[in-house]
């Protein structure tokens, strides 16, 4: 942002302003994202859809502050992430964002309870949050699997652990990168329903990427990407 | 705390690798612990063996310069020393009076050179305790003024038995040749390499052989409980004695040597003296070379440890680099959910720390086990190596200081070896880490 202030931009809960991302690939460059601008409101349940290589994951990574744009700005809750140091960005991620990954990404040496508790321990809070963690475990239907390690759980169960882990810090935004890609269609549907219920009941904003058309239909707000650009943006009821 | 928990779990997760790497550390620690303990034990045993041979740790002599300029060792003013010893709190029971000469035993046409120690049998409790009589009775030795106790080896060489009378040739304190006789009343087990060159007779008989008054003696030998106090007590005694009488300057290690079983030192003639004076020496003055050998052994052990550590560290660096690449996905995930860079680094460093700790503990336990096993195999006393043993047993006293230094060394170096992979892991771009596994 060169001449404009945040106020002048009238930013929302999550705003992307002309975001570009270029990756070097040998001697050439790959333009993964080309001038994406978005404005997301709190409480939205958004799907970023598109074929493989359309830039879905890159956009999610930039919204989640785990990747930085080559050009443009990502503004989270009125904070331009470009101006933040790594320590501040990590801290912002920890308190503001929850992550759900395509391949679950659980810590293999921790059991269900410990995996969900993990983000809380990073805050070094002495206060025990056992009741909250147990509530989440119940919410995702893993009460009987509390002491099991990831390798003892099915794909669907692992993704439920990942959802509970994403929610444990009570983030305002949850980013899910292809959360159903490694699951069968029934389980995938249940996972999306679970996310939708949490969105409805707790008001948590969800942004998930998918290339599954059936799942896309569940979202309130759909952003379709093609070749790193927004091809279509749909709001339910519009 | 979460870093420590994860570090421990990660170690347990790759059991084979942890055992191999920890085993390498354990081997290094075992070697250095054994070398340190052996060195300390050998040094102690050599001193202990010499203290047995020399009957004590601190030695006081009175030197008398005669009119013909010859120096004679003879206590003419014992009360001065006795008062001084009482003043600095040395128990009279730990003080032995001795005279000695280099003699040649002759029996049935055979001969053997021996140092004949004149002892007061009633007062020499330590000697009585350590001397193992194979033949003869202590009562007979005490009751016969001409009794002599020989080592088994010397008795065999002479072909002599209990009750046999030996001819003994010696020089008196004034240098005149003299001949006497002693009766074998005891044959003792060879008390180590050094002990077998000493024979023991009554103090009065030895005095008569070297032509000094029979109720006199040539040296006071003081035993103390702790070696560590030897130098301090010697200096204290030297100072206190110097306030009452003339004393010879404290000697340096270069001036002395142990020849056979006699204490020999080169007089410092830079300060001429007349009449009589006292000299105070101790076992460390004579065993400086042993300490040098001990230091050399310790340095050798340290070099071995450093070489081993260098090899181990290469292993640690490679392993942690491999671990870092294996856990790219986890690192990316942990960074994404809010783990700070320094926590990622700490996670690796704790893992290295625990690895060093487990390796160290295993190494110490192994060293204790090996030293216990070695203890089951005694060294024959006629073997020169027995000088370093306690009655033929190699001892490995635990060296707490060395253990602490080794622990710090191995921990710091292992953590240092893991530092660069840990830093690389911490600096990993979370998006790239997550993408790498996508």
């Amino acid at each position: 942002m060169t001449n404009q202030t945040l106020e002048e931009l009238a930013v929302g809960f999550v705003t992307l302003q002309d975001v570009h991302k270029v990756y070097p690939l040998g001697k050439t460059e790959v333009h993964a994202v080309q001038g994406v601008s978005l404005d997301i409101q709190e409480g939205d349940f958004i799907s970023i859809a598109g074929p493989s290589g359309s830039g879905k994951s890159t956009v999610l990574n930039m919204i989640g502050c785990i990747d930085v744009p080559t050009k443009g700005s990502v503004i989270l809750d009125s904070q331009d992430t470009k101006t933040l140091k790594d320590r501040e960005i990590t801290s912002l991620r920890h308190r503001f964002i929850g992550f759900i990954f395509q391949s679950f990404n659980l810590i293999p040496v921790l059991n269900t309870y410990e995996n969900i508790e993990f983000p809380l321990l990073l805050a070094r809070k002495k206060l025990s949050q056992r009741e909250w963690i147990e509530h989440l475990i119940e919410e995702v239907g893993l009460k009987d699997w509390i002491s099991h390690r990831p390798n003892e759980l099915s794909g669907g169960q692992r993704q439920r652990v990942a959802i509970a882990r994403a929610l444990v810090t009570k983030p305002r935004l949850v980013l899910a990168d292809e959360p159903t890609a490694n699951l069968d269609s029934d389980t995938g549907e249940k996972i999306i329903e679970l996310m939708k219920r949490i969105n409805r009941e707790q008001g948590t904003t969800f942004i998930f990427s998918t290339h599954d058309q059936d799942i896309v239909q569940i979202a309130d707000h759909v952003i379709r990407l093609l070749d790193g650009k927004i091809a279509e943006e749909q709001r339910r009821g519009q | 705390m979460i870093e420590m928990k994860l570090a421990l779990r990660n170690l347990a997760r790759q059991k084979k690798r942890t055992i191999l790497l920890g085993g390498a550390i354990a081997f290094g620690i075992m070697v250095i612990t054994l070398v340190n303990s052996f060195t300390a034990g050998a040094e102690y045993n050599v001193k202990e063996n010499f203290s047995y041979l020399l009957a004590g740790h601190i030695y006081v002599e009175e030197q008398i310069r005669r009119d013909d300029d010859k120096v004679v060792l003879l206590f003419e003013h014992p009360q001065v020393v006795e008062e001084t010893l009482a003043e600095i709190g040395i128990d009279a029971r730990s003080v032995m009076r001795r005279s000695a000469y280099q003699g040649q035993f002759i029996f049935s046409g055979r001969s053997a050179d021996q140092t004949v120690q004149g002892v007061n049998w009633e007062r020499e409790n330590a000697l009585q305790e350590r001397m193992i009589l194979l033949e003869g009775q202590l009562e007979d030795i005490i009751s016969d003024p001409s009794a002599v106790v020989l080592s088994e080896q010397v008795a065999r060489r002479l072909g002599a038995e209990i009750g046999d009378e030996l001819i003994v040739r010696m020089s008196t304190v004034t240098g005149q040749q003299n001949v006497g006789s002693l009766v074998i009343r005891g044959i003792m087990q060879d008390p180590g390499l050094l002990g077998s060159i000493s024979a023991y007779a009554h103090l009065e008989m030895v005095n008569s052989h070297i032509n000094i008054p029979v109720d006199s003696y040539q040296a006071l030998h003081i035993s103390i409980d702790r070696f560590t106090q030897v130098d301090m007590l010697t200096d204290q005694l030297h100072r206190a004695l110097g306030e009452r009488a003339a004393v010879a300057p404290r000697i340096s290690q270069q001036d002395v040597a142990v020849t056979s079983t006699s204490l020999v030192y080169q007089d410092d003639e830079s300060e001429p003296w007349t009449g009589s004076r006292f000299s105070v020496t101790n076992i460390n003055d004579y065993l400086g070379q042993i300490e040098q050998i001990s230091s050399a052994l310790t340095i050798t052990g340290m070099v071995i440890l450093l070489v081993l550590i260098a090899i181990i560290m290469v292993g640690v660096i490679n392993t942690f680099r491999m671990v870092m690449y294996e856990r790219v996905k986890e690192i990316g995930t942990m960074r994404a959910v809010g783990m700070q860079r320094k926590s990622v680094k700490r996670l690796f460093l704790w893992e290295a720390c625990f690895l060093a700790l487990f390796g160290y503990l295993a190494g110490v336990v192994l060293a204790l086990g090996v030293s216990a096993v070695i203890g089951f195999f005694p060294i024959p006393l006629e073997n020169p190596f027995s000088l370093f043993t306690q009655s033929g047993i190699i001892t490995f006293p635990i060296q707490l200081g060395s253990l602490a230094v080794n622990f710090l060394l191995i921990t710091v170096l292992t953590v240092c070896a893991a530092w660069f992979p840990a830093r690389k892991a911490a600096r990993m771009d979370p998006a790239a880490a997550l993408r790498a596994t996508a």
Side-chain angles (χ1 to χ4, degrees):
Chain A
M1 245 175 293
T2 49
N3 300 319
Q4 291 168 297
T5 64
L6 292 172
E7 288 78 15
E8 284 167 342
L9 285 167
V11 293
F13 177 62
V14 176
T15 301
L16 270 67
Q17 282 285 335
D18 191 27
V19 166
H20 293 253
K21 182 69 188 178
V22 181
Y23 292 115
L25 187 73
K27 288 179 179 173
T28 60
E29 288 182 335
V30 175
H31 290 258
V33 177
Q34 302 179 60
V36 169
S37 295
L38 281 175
D39 194 16
I40 293 163
Q41 300 308 309
E42 189 159 17
D44 272 359
F45 192 74
I46 303 167
S47 165
I48 298 180
S52 291
S54 59
K56 303 186 295 291
S57 296
T58 308
V59 168
L60 274 184
N61 282 348
M62 287 190 288
I63 295 173
C65 302
I66 51 179
D67 210 348
V68 285
T70 312
K71 187 185 158 199
S73 298
V74 176
I75 298 155
L76 292 184
D77 199 28
S78 306
Q79 259 187 305
D80 188 351
T81 56
K82 216 164 41 180
T83 62
L84 301 176
K85 293 174 182 163
D86 181 79
R87 186 173 47 80
E88 293 164 327
I89 286 178
T90 308
S91 177
L92 176 71
R93 270 202 306 266
H94 179 254
R95 64 170 196 278
F96 193 78
I97 309 167
F99 287 91
I100 300 167
F101 301 97
Q102 179 181 338
S103 43
F104 326 125
N105 291 25
L106 300 177
I107 312 290
V109 292
L110 301 180
N111 64 28
T112 296
Y113 182 92
E114 291 165 335
N115 259 295
I116 297 169
E117 186 189 31
F118 181 71
L120 290 176
L121 297 177
L122 294 177
R124 299 181 190 279
K125 283 180 185 165
K126 295 258 168 87
L127 202 68
S128 168
Q129 305 214 35
R130 192 169 187 92
E131 274 180 29
W132 168 235
I133 296 165
E134 283 171 353
H135 168 74
L136 283 174
I137 290 172
E138 208 158 321
E139 279 285 296
V140 296
L142 290 173
K143 206 177 165 187
D144 297 332
W145 303 87
I146 197 162
S147 303
H148 289 69
R149 287 201 178 176
N151 61 352
E152 298 163 334
L153 301 174
S154 69
Q157 287 170 323
R158 288 183 209 185
Q159 200 57 300
R160 284 164 189 271
V161 177
I163 291 172
R165 180 180 65 184
L167 295 171
V168 75
T169 53
K170 298 178 184 167
R172 289 164 67 190
L173 172 66
V174 172
L175 301 174
D177 189 7
E178 302 262 14
T180 59
N182 283 347
L183 304 173
D184 60 74
S185 56
D186 277 357
T187 314
E189 219 167 280
K190 282 178 190 164
I191 290 292
I192 295 295
E193 278 168 14
L194 176 66
M195 285 163 50
K196 179 77 180 162
R197 183 161 61 82
I198 293 163
N199 163 258
R200 214 168 37 235
E201 290 173 2
Q202 295 177 19
T204 309
T205 308
F206 276 82
I207 306 175
F208 63 95
S209 65
T210 185
H211 57 266
D212 186 331
Q213 284 309 311
D214 294 339
I215 289 170
V216 168
Q217 301 312 314
I218 304 170
D220 302 328
H221 180 178
V222 181
I223 297 158
R224 291 186 193 280
L225 292 180
L226 191 66
D227 298 332
K229 293 175 187 163
I230 296 178
E232 188 186 2
E233 193 170 355
Q234 270 184 317
R235 284 185 187 272
R236 200 164 289 275
Q238 282 186 353
Chain B
M1 287 304 284
I2 185 65
E3 296 99 334
M4 287 169 77
K5 185 177 182 176
L6 281 171
L8 279 171
R9 298 261 180 103
N10 281 332
L11 279 179
R13 168 190 184 180
Q14 294 284 351
K15 285 192 185 68
K16 202 180 278 180
R17 189 158 60 196
T18 303
I19 288 169
L20 282 173
L21 206 52
I25 293 173
F27 180 74
I29 289 294
M30 181 193 77
V31 171
I32 187 63
T33 305
L34 282 175
V35 170
N36 283 340
S37 303
F38 169 76
T39 307
E43 190 180 337
Y44 179 87
N45 291 335
V46 168
K47 286 186 178 177
E48 189 62 29
N49 288 334
F50 269 94
S51 77
Y52 168 63
L53 176 72
L54 304 173
H57 309 97
I58 302 172
Y59 320 105
V60 185
E61 292 172 341
E62 184 174 353
Q63 304 166 340
I64 297 161
R65 192 181 288 279
R66 297 190 323 164
D67 295 341
D68 60 0
D69 213 31
K70 278 193 173 171
V71 175
V72 172
L73 297 182
L74 174 64
F75 261 94
E76 286 188 338
H77 306 94
Q79 69 284 356
V80 178
V81 180
E82 282 160 12
E83 282 167 19
T84 311
L85 291 175
E87 182 191 300
I88 64 171
I90 291 178
D91 189 350
R93 283 171 298 184
S94 63
V95 180
M96 265 77 71
R97 296 169 179 185
R98 287 207 172 182
S99 296
Y101 62 79
Q102 279 296 114
Q104 187 183 35
F105 288 123
I106 301 165
F107 181 76
S108 297
R110 297 175 185 179
S111 68
D113 289 333
Q114 287 274 274
T115 297
V116 182
Q117 297 280 350
V119 300
N120 186 335
W121 286 104
E122 282 87 355
R123 290 175 63 105
E124 295 264 4
N125 293 331
L127 181 62
Q128 285 184 32
E129 280 167 18
R130 291 194 60 170
M131 178 185 283
I132 300 165
L133 278 177
L134 299 174
E135 291 178 51
Q137 300 293 322
L138 188 64
E139 296 76 36
D140 297 339
I141 298 164
I142 293 172
S143 62
D144 183 355
S146 60
V148 67
V149 179
L150 297 179
S151 71
E152 188 185 11
Q153 197 181 323
V154 174
R156 202 167 46 237
R157 197 188 309 159
L158 291 170
E161 294 175 352
I162 293 285
D164 287 340
E165 186 174 347
L166 307 176
I167 302 296
V168 56
R169 284 204 322 217
M170 80 295 291
S171 296
T172 66
V173 289
T174 53
Q176 292 166 321
Q177 294 297 307
N178 196 6
V179 177
S181 69
L182 292 167
V183 178
I184 302 174
R185 291 293 174 209
I187 295 175
M188 61 182 173
Q189 189 183 60
D190 288 334
L193 186 74
L194 290 166
S196 63
I197 49 181
S198 278
Y200 296 91
H202 282 269
L203 178 63
E204 293 79 4
M205 182 58 71
V206 168
N207 286 344
S208 73
H209 284 170
I210 57 175
N211 200 21
I212 64 173
V214 290
D215 58 346
S216 179
Y217 48 92
Q218 288 186 297
L220 283 177
H221 292 216
I222 302 159
S223 295
I224 61 165
D225 295 331
R226 294 171 67 171
F227 272 138
T228 48
Q229 295 177 331
V230 166
D231 286 323
M232 188 264 291
L233 271 175
T234 307
D235 290 340
Q236 202 180 347
L237 177 59
H238 184 259
R239 257 194 322 273
L241 204 53
E243 288 169 10
R244 288 185 157 83
V247 288
R250 283 280 287 123
I251 54 173
S252 65
Q253 287 176 2
Q254 285 76 19
D255 300 328
V256 298
V258 177
T259 306
S260 294
T261 55
S262 304
L263 308 178
V264 177
Y265 65 91
Q266 187 64 47
D267 263 341
D268 180 4
E269 293 298 338
S270 60
E271 293 177 38
W273 58 282
T274 54
S276 77
R277 69 175 188 176
F278 292 99
S279 79
V280 184
T281 54
N282 70 29
I283 196 159
N284 287 339
D285 297 334
Y286 301 96
L287 300 183
Q289 285 175 340
I290 297 297
E291 281 176 2
Q292 283 171 16
I293 292 169
S294 162
S295 302
L297 269 174
T298 307
I299 291 166
T300 307
M302 218 57 197
V303 170
I304 293 170
L305 178 72
L306 290 175
V307 171
L308 282 172
I309 282 178
I311 296 166
I312 293 164
M313 290 311 120
V314 172
V316 171
I317 291 172
N318 282 333
T319 305
F320 274 85
R321 277 169 64 90
M322 203 158 67
V323 162
M324 185 193 72
Y325 289 119
E326 280 172 5
R327 297 193 200 144
V328 164
K329 178 180 174 179
E330 278 169 59
I331 296 164
T333 307
M334 289 189 287
R335 292 279 288 128
V337 300
M339 187 178 247
Q340 295 286 359
R341 280 178 173 166
K342 61 182 180 185
S343 292
V344 174
K345 190 156 77 179
R346 269 206 297 260
L347 174 62
F348 277 78
L349 297 182
W350 273 119
E351 204 168 320
C353 211
F354 285 129
L355 183 70
L357 176 68
F358 295 144
Y360 173 81
L361 290 176
V364 171
V365 169
L366 274 175
L368 291 176
V370 170
S371 57
V373 170
I374 292 174
F376 282 118
F377 300 98
I379 306 289
L381 292 175
E382 58 270 21
N383 188 317
F385 188 74
S386 69
L387 176 65
F388 298 99
T389 68
Q390 196 174 71
S391 304
I393 305 293
I394 301 172
T395 56
F396 295 89
I398 293 168
Q399 300 298 297
L400 290 177
S402 302
L403 285 178
V405 168
N406 293 342
F407 174 67
L408 283 177
L409 192 69
I410 200 78
T411 307
V412 168
L413 288 176
T414 310
V415 168
C416 284
W419 181 269
F420 293 103
R423 193 177 63 168
K424 199 167 181 184
R427 289 182 176 179
M428 208 176 273
D429 173 24
L434 289 168
R435 246 196 322 272
T437 58

